[in-house]
Amino acid sequence: QVQLVESGGGLVQPGGSLRLSCRASGSIFRINAVGWYRQAPGKQRELVADINSGGTTNYADSVKGRLTISRDNAKNTVYLQMNSLKPEDTAVYYCNADIMDYGLNEYNYWGQGTQVTVSS
């Protein structure tokens, strides 16, 4: 069984920074693509950024230049560095990952989410 656990959320003032972490644990052969999603109250969940196994990244237009996704394969962890935060970044942030087990079967997993609140 595989678990994804997010951490690093919290309350920050506009213009501030946070770093979110998503750590995978369990029976993991390889972590393939990983994405960070967010869902604000009353809105649909949206993709913020993703990174594939080769390190290629992709960002939503609303976060380009402010958020950076990265991964540390040795630690089975993906990060989301969030700078110049705005009130509209307030949401629950979720990690999603395609993970291959030792039987070479790939499954998709979601974390439980971490709250980010940007407010003065």
Side-chain angles (χ1 to χ4, degrees):
Q1 189 69 8
V2 171
Q3 280 192 321
L4 294 180
V5 179
E6 301 102 332
S7 61
L11 173 64
V12 64
Q13 292 187 341
S17 297
L18 285 173
R19 189 175 82 155
L20 306 184
S21 299
C22 170
R23 183 177 181 277
S25 61
S27 181
I28 298 168
F29 174 72
R30 186 173 69 213
I31 300 174
N32 292 326
V34 180
W36 281 100
Y37 291 73
R38 68 186 180 188
Q39 187 166 21
K43 295 189 176 181
Q44 289 190 331
R45 191 172 297 189
E46 62 174 353
L47 177 65
V48 173
D50 60 32
I51 184 167
N52 66 15
S53 57
T56 300
T57 59
N58 176 59
Y59 297 93
D61 288 342
S62 59
V63 305
K64 282 181 181 176
R66 300 188 299 116
L67 274 58
T68 303
I69 189 170
S70 62
R71 62 192 295 162
D72 184 335
N73 292 330
K75 295 182 178 179
N76 287 339
T77 300
V78 172
Y79 304 98
L80 186 67
Q81 179 66 43
M82 309 170 70
N83 298 329
S84 302
L85 283 164
K86 304 176 181 180
E88 50 263 43
D89 294 317
T90 295
V92 179
Y93 283 71
Y94 298 91
C95 177
N96 177 271
D98 293 323
I99 297 177
M100 187 173 287
D101 62 20
Y102 288 98
L104 304 185
N105 302 301
E106 186 180 86
Y107 299 98
N108 184 262
Y109 297 91
W110 286 94
Q112 82 288 352
T114 185
Q115 176 70 46
V116 172
T117 302
V118 184
S119 175
S120 55

